[in-house]
PDB file of all heavy atoms in Angstrom:
ATOM      1  N   GLU A   5      -8.175   5.486 -19.810  1.00 75.00           N
ATOM      2  CA  GLU A   5      -9.550   5.551 -19.292  1.00 75.00           C
ATOM      3  C   GLU A   5      -9.576   5.463 -17.777  1.00 75.00           C
ATOM      4  O   GLU A   5     -10.350   6.138 -17.096  1.00 75.00           O
ATOM      5  CB  GLU A   5     -10.393   4.442 -19.891  1.00 75.00           C
ATOM      6  CG  GLU A   5     -11.868   4.562 -19.642  1.00 75.00           C
ATOM      7  CD  GLU A   5     -12.645   3.516 -20.406  1.00 75.00           C
ATOM      8  OE1 GLU A   5     -12.321   3.255 -21.594  1.00 75.00           O
ATOM      9  OE2 GLU A   5     -13.587   2.938 -19.833  1.00 75.00           O
ATOM     10  N   ASP A   9      -3.493   0.557 -11.475  1.00 73.00           N
ATOM     11  CA  ASP A   9      -3.173   0.232 -10.084  1.00 73.00           C
ATOM     12  C   ASP A   9      -1.684   0.461  -9.859  1.00 73.00           C
ATOM     13  O   ASP A   9      -0.877   0.071 -10.697  1.00 73.00           O
ATOM     14  CB  ASP A   9      -3.543  -1.234  -9.812  1.00 73.00           C
ATOM     15  CG  ASP A   9      -3.375  -1.601  -8.344  1.00 73.00           C
ATOM     16  OD1 ASP A   9      -2.213  -1.696  -7.899  1.00 73.00           O
ATOM     17  OD2 ASP A   9      -4.394  -1.754  -7.694  1.00 73.00           O
ATOM     18  N   SER A  11       0.383  -1.022  -8.235  1.00 69.00           N
ATOM     19  CA  SER A  11       1.178  -2.279  -8.196  1.00 69.00           C
ATOM     20  C   SER A  11       1.689  -2.670  -9.585  1.00 69.00           C
ATOM     21  O   SER A  11       2.581  -3.494  -9.686  1.00 69.00           O
ATOM     22  CB  SER A  11       0.352  -3.414  -7.589  1.00 69.00           C
ATOM     23  OG  SER A  11      -0.723  -3.745  -8.458  1.00 69.00           O
ATOM     24  N   VAL A  23       1.929   6.592 -23.454  1.00 85.00           N
ATOM     25  CA  VAL A  23       2.913   7.391 -24.212  1.00 85.00           C
ATOM     26  C   VAL A  23       2.409   7.653 -25.636  1.00 85.00           C
ATOM     27  O   VAL A  23       2.407   8.793 -26.101  1.00 85.00           O
ATOM     28  CB  VAL A  23       4.284   6.691 -24.227  1.00 85.00           C
ATOM     29  CG1 VAL A  23       5.176   7.245 -25.302  1.00 85.00           C
ATOM     30  CG2 VAL A  23       4.949   6.800 -22.869  1.00 85.00           C
ATOM     31  N   TYR A  27       1.489  11.368 -26.856  1.00 87.00           N
ATOM     32  CA  TYR A  27       2.268  11.999 -27.912  1.00 87.00           C
ATOM     33  C   TYR A  27       1.466  12.224 -29.173  1.00 87.00           C
ATOM     34  O   TYR A  27       1.851  13.083 -29.972  1.00 87.00           O
ATOM     35  CB  TYR A  27       3.542  11.186 -28.182  1.00 87.00           C
ATOM     36  CG  TYR A  27       4.669  11.544 -27.242  1.00 87.00           C
ATOM     37  CD1 TYR A  27       4.891  10.813 -26.063  1.00 87.00           C
ATOM     38  CD2 TYR A  27       5.507  12.621 -27.497  1.00 87.00           C
ATOM     39  CE1 TYR A  27       5.917  11.142 -25.223  1.00 87.00           C
ATOM     40  CE2 TYR A  27       6.528  12.958 -26.636  1.00 87.00           C
ATOM     41  CZ  TYR A  27       6.734  12.211 -25.504  1.00 87.00           C
ATOM     42  OH  TYR A  27       7.758  12.561 -24.624  1.00 87.00           O
ATOM     43  N   ILE A  35       5.478  22.392 -25.044  1.00 90.00           N
ATOM     44  CA  ILE A  35       6.600  21.582 -24.568  1.00 90.00           C
ATOM     45  C   ILE A  35       6.017  20.350 -23.894  1.00 90.00           C
ATOM     46  O   ILE A  35       4.915  20.415 -23.326  1.00 90.00           O
ATOM     47  CB  ILE A  35       7.491  22.386 -23.582  1.00 90.00           C
ATOM     48  CG1 ILE A  35       8.744  21.602 -23.239  1.00 90.00           C
ATOM     49  CG2 ILE A  35       6.724  22.792 -22.348  1.00 90.00           C
ATOM     50  CD1 ILE A  35       9.807  22.443 -22.506  1.00 90.00           C
ATOM     51  N   ASN A  52       8.343  18.253 -33.695  1.00 81.00           N
ATOM     52  CA  ASN A  52       7.468  19.402 -33.762  1.00 81.00           C
ATOM     53  C   ASN A  52       7.252  20.098 -32.416  1.00 81.00           C
ATOM     54  O   ASN A  52       6.689  21.168 -32.371  1.00 81.00           O
ATOM     55  CB  ASN A  52       6.105  18.986 -34.351  1.00 81.00           C
ATOM     56  CG  ASN A  52       5.389  17.980 -33.492  1.00 81.00           C
ATOM     57  OD1 ASN A  52       6.012  17.211 -32.793  1.00 81.00           O
ATOM     58  ND2 ASN A  52       4.074  17.960 -33.555  1.00 81.00           N
ATOM     59  N   ALA A  75      20.110  12.102 -26.701  1.00 88.00           N
ATOM     60  CA  ALA A  75      20.618  13.377 -26.168  1.00 88.00           C
ATOM     61  C   ALA A  75      20.589  14.544 -27.148  1.00 88.00           C
ATOM     62  O   ALA A  75      20.472  15.695 -26.721  1.00 88.00           O
ATOM     63  CB  ALA A  75      22.032  13.191 -25.659  1.00 88.00           C
ATOM     64  N   HIS A  79      15.730  16.999 -24.477  1.00 92.00           N
ATOM     65  CA  HIS A  79      16.459  17.717 -23.437  1.00 92.00           C
ATOM     66  C   HIS A  79      16.458  16.866 -22.159  1.00 92.00           C
ATOM     67  O   HIS A  79      15.417  16.698 -21.523  1.00 92.00           O
ATOM     68  CB  HIS A  79      15.812  19.084 -23.173  1.00 92.00           C
ATOM     69  CG  HIS A  79      15.698  19.911 -24.421  1.00 92.00           C
ATOM     70  ND1 HIS A  79      16.750  20.628 -24.927  1.00 92.00           N
ATOM     71  CD2 HIS A  79      14.666  20.067 -25.276  1.00 92.00           C
ATOM     72  CE1 HIS A  79      16.381  21.248 -26.032  1.00 92.00           C
ATOM     73  NE2 HIS A  79      15.128  20.909 -26.280  1.00 92.00           N
ATOM     74  N   PRO A  92      27.419   9.609 -17.160  1.00 85.00           N
ATOM     75  CA  PRO A  92      28.365   9.655 -18.269  1.00 85.00           C
ATOM     76  C   PRO A  92      28.387  11.063 -18.876  1.00 85.00           C
ATOM     77  O   PRO A  92      27.581  11.919 -18.501  1.00 85.00           O
ATOM     78  CB  PRO A  92      27.765   8.641 -19.276  1.00 85.00           C
ATOM     79  CG  PRO A  92      26.299   8.714 -19.016  1.00 85.00           C
ATOM     80  CD  PRO A  92      26.167   8.916 -17.508  1.00 85.00           C
ATOM     81  N   LEU A  94      27.100  13.188 -21.006  1.00 88.00           N
ATOM     82  CA  LEU A  94      25.936  13.435 -21.843  1.00 88.00           C
ATOM     83  C   LEU A  94      25.588  14.922 -21.734  1.00 88.00           C
ATOM     84  O   LEU A  94      25.763  15.523 -20.694  1.00 88.00           O
ATOM     85  CB  LEU A  94      24.710  12.634 -21.337  1.00 88.00           C
ATOM     86  CG  LEU A  94      24.687  11.157 -21.570  1.00 88.00           C
ATOM     87  CD1 LEU A  94      23.478  10.490 -20.887  1.00 88.00           C
ATOM     88  CD2 LEU A  94      24.654  10.842 -23.052  1.00 88.00           C
ATOM     89  N   LEU A 104      10.710  19.875  -2.968  1.00 73.00           N
ATOM     90  CA  LEU A 104      10.573  20.035  -1.529  1.00 73.00           C
ATOM     91  C   LEU A 104      11.347  21.257  -1.065  1.00 73.00           C
ATOM     92  O   LEU A 104      12.540  21.387  -1.314  1.00 73.00           O
ATOM     93  CB  LEU A 104      11.121  18.785  -0.808  1.00 73.00           C
ATOM     94  CG  LEU A 104      10.359  17.480  -1.062  1.00 73.00           C
ATOM     95  CD1 LEU A 104      11.063  16.359  -0.301  1.00 73.00           C
ATOM     96  CD2 LEU A 104       8.944  17.582  -0.601  1.00 73.00           C
ATOM     97  N   PRO A 106      12.838  23.096   2.060  1.00 75.00           N
ATOM     98  CA  PRO A 106      13.143  22.853   3.483  1.00 75.00           C
ATOM     99  C   PRO A 106      12.420  23.814   4.431  1.00 75.00           C
ATOM    100  O   PRO A 106      12.167  23.476   5.564  1.00 75.00           O
ATOM    101  CB  PRO A 106      14.679  23.054   3.571  1.00 75.00           C
ATOM    102  CG  PRO A 106      15.150  22.861   2.174  1.00 75.00           C
ATOM    103  CD  PRO A 106      14.053  23.289   1.277  1.00 75.00           C
ATOM    104  N   LYS A 107      12.079  25.006   3.938  1.00 81.00           N
ATOM    105  CA  LYS A 107      11.367  25.966   4.778  1.00 81.00           C
ATOM    106  C   LYS A 107       9.968  25.483   5.177  1.00 81.00           C
ATOM    107  O   LYS A 107       9.373  25.976   6.097  1.00 81.00           O
ATOM    108  CB  LYS A 107      11.268  27.308   4.095  1.00 81.00           C
ATOM    109  CG  LYS A 107      12.628  27.998   3.983  1.00 81.00           C
ATOM    110  CD  LYS A 107      12.463  29.343   3.295  1.00 81.00           C
ATOM    111  CE  LYS A 107      13.279  29.295   2.053  1.00 81.00           C
ATOM    112  NZ  LYS A 107      12.994  30.230   1.018  1.00 81.00           N
ATOM    113  N   VAL A 110       9.132  22.166   9.838  1.00 79.00           N
ATOM    114  CA  VAL A 110       9.404  22.821  11.090  1.00 79.00           C
ATOM    115  C   VAL A 110      10.618  22.168  11.780  1.00 79.00           C
ATOM    116  O   VAL A 110      10.669  20.950  11.899  1.00 79.00           O
ATOM    117  CB  VAL A 110       8.152  22.727  12.021  1.00 79.00           C
ATOM    118  CG1 VAL A 110       8.465  23.334  13.367  1.00 79.00           C
ATOM    119  CG2 VAL A 110       6.978  23.378  11.350  1.00 79.00           C
ATOM    120  N   GLY A 123      13.376   7.358   0.132  1.00 90.00           N
ATOM    121  CA  GLY A 123      13.765   7.067  -1.234  1.00 90.00           C
ATOM    122  C   GLY A 123      13.050   5.807  -1.752  1.00 90.00           C
ATOM    123  O   GLY A 123      12.202   5.233  -1.090  1.00 90.00           O
ATOM    124  N   ILE A 135      20.860   1.779   6.799  1.00 96.00           N
ATOM    125  CA  ILE A 135      20.656   0.839   7.891  1.00 96.00           C
ATOM    126  C   ILE A 135      21.952   0.595   8.660  1.00 96.00           C
ATOM    127  O   ILE A 135      21.976   0.597   9.876  1.00 96.00           O
ATOM    128  CB  ILE A 135      20.084  -0.494   7.327  1.00 96.00           C
ATOM    129  CG1 ILE A 135      18.687  -0.261   6.732  1.00 96.00           C
ATOM    130  CG2 ILE A 135      20.053  -1.586   8.394  1.00 96.00           C
ATOM    131  CD1 ILE A 135      18.189  -1.390   5.851  1.00 96.00           C
ATOM    132  N   ALA A 141      25.827   3.779  14.592  1.00 95.00           N
ATOM    133  CA  ALA A 141      25.670   4.948  15.445  1.00 95.00           C
ATOM    134  C   ALA A 141      24.766   4.679  16.636  1.00 95.00           C
ATOM    135  O   ALA A 141      24.735   5.468  17.587  1.00 95.00           O
ATOM    136  CB  ALA A 141      25.103   6.118  14.631  1.00 95.00           C
ATOM    137  N   ALA A 165      14.896  -5.985   3.171  1.00 94.00           N
ATOM    138  CA  ALA A 165      14.209  -6.683   4.260  1.00 94.00           C
ATOM    139  C   ALA A 165      15.155  -7.552   5.068  1.00 94.00           C
ATOM    140  O   ALA A 165      15.150  -7.503   6.319  1.00 94.00           O
ATOM    141  CB  ALA A 165      13.017  -7.476   3.746  1.00 94.00           C
ATOM    142  N   ALA A 167      18.320  -7.063   5.522  1.00 93.00           N
ATOM    143  CA  ALA A 167      19.189  -6.188   6.273  1.00 93.00           C
ATOM    144  C   ALA A 167      18.484  -5.595   7.494  1.00 93.00           C
ATOM    145  O   ALA A 167      19.132  -5.370   8.534  1.00 93.00           O
ATOM    146  CB  ALA A 167      19.713  -5.049   5.375  1.00 93.00           C
TER     147      ALA A 167
END
Side-chain angles (χ1 to χ4, degrees):
E5 190 173 319
D9 186 288
S11 67
V23 164
Y27 275 94
I35 188 169
N52 62 333
H79 304 279
L94 286 174
L104 295 178
K107 291 181 241 160
V110 177
I135 295 165

